[in-house]
Amino acid sequence: METGLFSYPTPFTPPTTEEDELSSLRLARSRRVGATTFHRLLKDHGSAAAALAALPAIARSAGSSDYLPCPIAQAQAELAAGRRAGAQLLLPGGPGYPADLLAFADAPPILWAMGKVDLLARPRVAVVGARNASSLGQRMAQKLAEEMGRAGFAVVSGLARGIDAAAHRAALPTGTIAVMAGGIDVIYPTENTELARRIAAEGLRLAELPPGTEPQARHFPQRNRIIAALSRATLVVEAAAGSGSLLTARMALDYGREVMAVPGHPMDARASGCNMLIRDGATLIRGAEDVLEAMGMAPMPRAERTAAPTQTPAPPPKPALAGLRAKLLSLLGPAPTPEETVIRDLGIDAATLSRELVGLEIEGEVTRHPGGFLSRG
Amino acid sequence: METGLFSYPTPFTPPTTEEDELSSLRLARSRRVGATTFHRLLKDHGSAAAALAALPAIARSAGSSDYLPCPIAQAQAELAAGRRAGAQLLLPGGPGYPADLLAFADAPPILWAMGKVDLLARPRVAVVGARNASSLGQRMAQKLAEEMGRAGFAVVSGLARGIDAAAHRAALPTGTIAVMAGGIDVIYPTENTELARRIAAEGLRLAELPPGTEPQARHFPQRNRIIAALSRATLVVEAAAGSGSLLTARMALDYGREVMAVPGHPMDARASGCNMLIRDGATLIRGAEDVLEAMGMAPMPRAERTAAPTQTPAPPPKPALAGLRAKLLSLLGPAPTPEETVIRDLGIDAATLSRELVGLEIEGEVTRHPGGFLSRG
C-alpha cells in the first residue's frame, strides 16, 4: 500500500498529524539517526520535516556527500504495515506517548502501540528476570506482578520466557505492557504467541522498530532501555551475572530510576545477578510491600522488622517522688527502654545517668540489659 | 576446695594477682553488680578491693540496709572450680583479656578461658546463625569459617547446633573461639560435647558465668553480646526473624561492629532474618571474599560485578587530526565509552558534545549505545 506524499489513507486523521507521522517516521528511520540525534535534530530545526530537509546538508558538512534520508515510500509502507497489524503510532509530545519518557535524551523517537494505550497513563513498574527461571522465581514474579497490579501499577516487561512471561500473565487482569525487541507484530519467542495476543487484547504491546522486524541480539539492549525508562522502578527477579536483566537494571540506574531485586542464596547461580545488584545498592525486596515501602507508598509493612525490644509508653511521673532518681524510675517500666531515650527524656548526660544507675542497680530498682537497655526491677 | 583469704593454691601466681582475682570475682559476683556497674565502680574506686569495700555504703545510701557483697568463700570456690576444670581467669586489663573489649561499657568483668588464650590476639570474626540450619546454610557457614580462618581470623561462635557448630568445626584447624552461655565446663547442647572438647584442645572456650552454671534462657543474650563485642564483624548465616542470631547482630550494630549477612530467597523462612538485616543496612555477603572486601582487606574480588561495558584505554591522540571532532574520535574505540568520560576528558559541556555527535553519528563515525555509551564506527 504505497501512496503519494499527501494522500490520506485514514480520513479521520487530520492532515497535519499525518504529515507529522510521516516526517517523524522518515527522520527516525534515516540512516544513522539514533534516538538522541532524532531529538536533537527536532529541537534544532523545530519540526521533523525541517530536520529532514536539513539532513543532507549536515551529512555533507560531515563529509558524506551521498547521504540520503529515509525515502517517503519506505515510511509510508511502514505506516501502512503498522495499521494493517492493528497498531497505532505514538509520537513524542503527541497523544498517548508517555511524557515522562522525554526526560531521557534517548527516548524512543516513535512507538508502535497495540492495545490499551491508556495503560501508559498509569504509574508503571517493570518486573524482569531470567528466562530459565526456577518455579520459585516464577512464583515470586507472579506475586509481585499481581500485587503491584492491585496497587494500581501497570506491569512492564519484555515478553521473554520465564520471569517476564510470568509477570505479564499475572498482571493481565490489572494491566500489563510488553515492550517488544522486534516489530510489534513479530512474537518472540513463539511459545508466547497466545500470551502476546492476550496482551494486545487486554493490555498493551509496544515496539520501537518497524512492523515485521525480526528481533536480533543488538535489539534487546535497545528494547531494555525502554523498559527501564518506562518504569518508576525495575524489579529484578532471578538474574544470572551478566544477564540482560542486569543490563536493564543498569540502564534504570543510569536513568535515575529505582532498581530493586529479590535476593537468593549465594550458591544459587540464578540469584547471583540480584545479589550483586543489592550489594551495589539496589533495594532488597521480599514482596510488593517492600516495593511500595521503598516508593514511600506504604507504612512499615511487616511486624517482624529487626527485633528491638518493645517499649511501653512511660507512665506519667508520680508527684509523690522527687529528684532525678524518681524521674528516672518513672520513665522506666518492665519492658527494656534504651538508655539514650532516658538520657534524652531527662535532659541529662550519660555520665550522670551512669552514676545514678550504679545505686539503682545495686538497690535492685533497675536492671540493665545488653545493648544499653534498662527496665524496672 | 575452700581456702583462707590469703592462701595461694597456685604458688606461681603472684599474690597481688591472686588478690585481684579474688576481689574482681567477688565484685563481679556481688548481687546486682552488672557488667557496666562493675566497670563504673572500678573506675570510681581505683581497684576491685576498694569498690568492694564501698559497696555496702552505696547500697545503704540507696535504701538497702541489708546488702552484702559476694562472700569471699564463694569467690574462692569459683576460682577453685575453674582451675579444677582446667580454665584460667582473664581480668580486664590483665594478661590475655582482649583489650578491645574494654571499649564497651558492659565488657565482661571476668572471662573464664579454656584452651589457647593467644587466639584472642588475632583479629576475630563471628559466624552465627540458625540452629535448625539447612545443609546449604551449614555448607555456607563452613566455607565462610574456613576461608576467614585462612585469612588469619579467629572464628567466634556460640557452640549451638547448626550454623555455630559448622563454623567451629570448619575453623578448628585455623583457630576458633566458642563463647558459652553457661559455665565453661557445662556443654550445651550435649551433642556438641566432643566438639567442645576439641575446641578446648585446639581452640579456645570462653565463659562469663561461674563454672558449673547451667545455661538458662536469659544467659543467651548476655553471651551473644560477648560474641558481638569480640568480633570485628558478625556474619549471619540463615536466621529466622526474631532469632537469637538477630539479637547478636543488633548488639554488634549497637557496639559499632560490622554486621554482614548471607541472603536467601524470600520464600525461605530461614533467610528472613538475614534479608531483614540486609534491608536494614547489613552488608550482603556471598562468601569470604565479600567479607574481606567490606573490611577493606581485599581488592574487588569477582570479575562478575554488575556488568558495565568494558572500556578500552583511549588511543593516543593522532597528530594528523585537529579540532574537537578529531579529539573526540581519538578518545573513542570499538568498545563503548561512557559519554561522561568523553565530556570530562575533552573538558567540554554535554551540549557541545551533543552538537558534535549529531554530525558524527550521521557520518557513521560514532555509534551511540543505550545508557549513554559511545563507540567508533
Side-chain angles (χ1 to χ4, degrees):
Chain A
M1 178 173 163
E2 304 217 354
T3 52
L5 176 51
F6 293 106
S7 69
Y8 305 109
T10 313
F12 303 102
T13 312
T16 50
T17 300
E18 177 74 13
E19 269 180 58
D20 265 6
E21 282 193 346
L22 202 59
S23 299
S24 294
L25 203 50
R26 283 185 67 200
L27 185 61
R29 301 300 181 218
S30 285
R31 203 154 41 104
R32 295 172 192 155
V33 174
T36 309
T37 300
F38 175 93
H39 295 292
R40 174 85 213 172
L41 288 169
L42 216 58
K43 200 176 153 208
D44 284 354
H45 300 277
S47 74
L52 264 179
L55 261 187
I58 295 172
R60 257 197 311 280
S61 80
S64 283
S65 57
D66 59 347
Y67 184 89
L68 282 177
C70 165
I72 296 174
Q74 183 190 326
Q76 286 173 324
E78 178 173 342
L79 280 180
R83 280 164 191 159
R84 266 200 311 277
Q88 70 183 100
L89 198 61
L90 309 183
L91 295 179
Y97 190 99
D100 55 336
L101 279 185
L102 294 175
F104 307 115
D106 61 350
I110 69 113
L111 278 173
W112 281 108
M114 192 186 284
K116 297 182 172 162
V117 174
D118 58 356
L119 277 179
L120 288 167
R122 297 231 201 124
R124 302 160 230 121
V125 70
V127 177
V128 300
R131 285 186 295 276
N132 66 339
S134 71
S135 60
L136 204 64
Q138 294 191 46
R139 249 164 58 208
M140 178 57 73
Q142 179 190 325
K143 224 169 126 258
L144 279 172
E146 271 172 12
E147 291 175 24
M148 292 309 295
R150 273 204 296 274
F153 284 81
V155 173
V156 181
S157 197
L159 197 62
R161 279 187 199 95
I163 298 298
D164 287 22
H168 282 307
R169 212 166 266 129
L172 268 174
T174 51
T176 190
I177 300 172
V179 187
M180 322 204 25
I184 190 103
D185 51 353
V186 180
I187 310 307
Y188 177 85
T190 51
E191 71 190 65
N192 285 344
T193 303
E194 172 58 15
L195 177 60
R197 191 197 59 71
R198 289 193 62 189
I199 294 173
E202 304 165 45
L204 179 66
R205 275 168 27 201
L206 292 177
E208 186 180 20
L209 293 182
T213 309
E214 290 290 335
Q216 293 170 24
R218 66 193 157 88
H219 296 151
F220 289 89
Q222 297 281 350
R223 184 276 307 273
N224 292 352
R225 94 183 193 285
I226 303 179
I227 293 178
L230 273 177
S231 306
R232 177 155 161 196
T234 293
L235 319 184
V236 188
V237 183
E238 279 193 353
S243 64
S245 308
L246 288 197
L247 284 174
T248 307
R250 197 188 146 71
M251 282 172 208
L253 288 174
D254 285 342
Y255 281 151
R257 299 297 206 196
E258 281 197 90
V259 174
M260 309 186 187
V262 177
H265 196 274
M267 287 173 186
D268 178 358
R270 279 183 279 227
S272 61
C274 286
N275 287 344
M276 211 181 299
L277 286 171
I278 295 166
R279 276 178 64 79
D280 290 350
T283 302
L284 183 155
I285 52 169
R286 297 161 298 178
E289 284 166 339
D290 287 342
V291 179
L292 295 171
E293 188 195 333
M295 289 176 167
M297 295 175 65
M300 296 278 279
R302 284 159 192 258
E304 94 251 16
R305 309 285 296 168
T306 305
T310 49
Q311 199 181 327
T312 47
K318 294 177 197 158
L321 296 167
L324 177 58
R325 174 167 297 218
K327 282 192 211 137
L328 176 51
L329 289 175
S330 76
L331 282 178
L332 298 176
T337 301
E339 272 187 38
E340 309 96 272
T341 308
V342 174
I343 288 171
R344 200 183 52 232
D345 291 354
L346 290 176
I348 59 176
D349 60 25
T352 308
L353 177 67
S354 174
R355 251 191 317 276
E356 208 55 50
L357 285 174
V358 169
L360 284 170
E361 195 179 5
I362 288 169
E363 203 180 339
E365 292 280 2
V366 168
T367 305
R368 288 176 184 273
H369 304 269
F373 290 87
L374 303 171
S375 68
R376 282 298 293 271
Chain B
M1 176 173 162
E2 304 218 352
T3 52
L5 176 53
F6 292 107
S7 70
Y8 304 110
T10 314
F12 302 102
T13 311
T16 51
T17 301
E18 176 75 13
E19 270 180 57
D20 266 5
E21 282 192 347
L22 201 59
S23 299
S24 295
L25 203 51
R26 283 185 67 198
L27 185 60
R29 301 299 182 221
S30 286
R31 206 156 36 106
R32 294 171 192 156
V33 175
T36 309
T37 299
F38 175 93
H39 296 292
R40 175 82 212 174
L41 288 169
L42 217 57
K43 202 176 151 209
D44 284 355
H45 299 277
S47 74
L52 264 180
L55 261 187
I58 296 172
R60 259 196 312 279
S61 81
S64 283
S65 56
D66 59 346
Y67 184 90
L68 283 177
C70 166
I72 296 175
Q74 183 188 328
Q76 286 172 325
E78 179 173 343
L79 280 180
R83 279 165 191 159
R84 267 198 312 275
Q88 69 183 101
L89 197 61
L90 309 184
L91 295 179
Y97 189 100
D100 55 336
L101 280 186
L102 294 176
F104 307 115
D106 60 351
I110 69 114
L111 279 174
W112 281 107
M114 192 186 285
K116 299 184 170 158
V117 173
D118 57 356
L119 277 179
L120 287 167
R122 297 230 200 124
R124 302 160 229 120
V125 70
V127 177
V128 299
R131 284 185 297 274
N132 66 338
S134 71
S135 61
L136 203 65
Q138 294 191 46
R139 250 163 59 208
M140 178 55 74
Q142 180 190 323
K143 225 169 126 257
L144 279 171
E146 271 171 12
E147 292 175 24
M148 292 309 296
R150 273 204 294 276
F153 284 80
V155 173
V156 181
S157 197
L159 197 61
R161 279 188 199 94
I163 298 299
D164 286 22
H168 282 307
R169 211 165 267 129
L172 268 174
T174 51
T176 191
I177 301 172
V179 186
M180 323 207 21
I184 190 99
D185 51 353
V186 180
I187 310 306
Y188 176 86
T190 51
E191 71 189 65
N192 285 343
T193 302
E194 172 57 16
L195 177 60
R197 192 197 58 73
R198 290 193 62 190
I199 293 173
E202 304 166 46
L204 180 65
R205 274 167 29 200
L206 293 177
E208 186 181 20
L209 293 183
T213 309
E214 290 290 335
Q216 294 170 23
R218 65 194 158 87
H219 297 151
F220 289 89
Q222 297 281 350
R223 185 275 310 273
N224 293 351
R225 95 183 193 285
I226 303 179
I227 295 179
L230 273 177
S231 307
R232 179 158 161 192
T234 294
L235 319 183
V236 188
V237 184
E238 280 193 351
S243 64
S245 309
L246 287 197
L247 284 174
T248 307
R250 196 188 146 70
M251 282 172 209
L253 289 174
D254 284 342
Y255 282 150
R257 299 298 206 196
E258 281 196 89
V259 174
M260 310 187 186
V262 177
H265 196 275
M267 286 172 188
D268 178 358
R270 279 183 279 227
S272 61
C274 286
N275 288 343
M276 212 182 299
L277 285 171
I278 296 166
R279 277 179 64 77
D280 289 349
T283 301
L284 182 154
I285 52 168
R286 297 159 300 178
E289 284 166 338
D290 287 343
V291 178
L292 295 170
E293 188 195 335
M295 290 177 167
M297 295 177 64
M300 295 276 282
R302 284 159 192 257
E304 93 248 18
R305 309 284 297 168
T306 305
T310 48
Q311 197 181 329
T312 46
K318 294 177 196 157
L321 295 168
L324 177 58
R325 174 168 296 220
K327 282 191 211 138
L328 176 52
L329 289 175
S330 76
L331 283 178
L332 298 176
T337 300
E339 272 187 39
E340 309 96 272
T341 308
V342 175
I343 287 171
R344 200 184 51 232
D345 291 353
L346 290 176
I348 59 175
D349 59 25
T352 309
L353 176 68
S354 175
R355 255 192 314 277
E356 208 54 50
L357 285 174
V358 170
L360 284 170
E361 195 179 4
I362 288 168
E363 204 180 335
E365 292 279 2
V366 169
T367 305
R368 288 176 184 272
H369 305 270
F373 290 86
L374 305 170
S375 68
R376 282 297 294 270

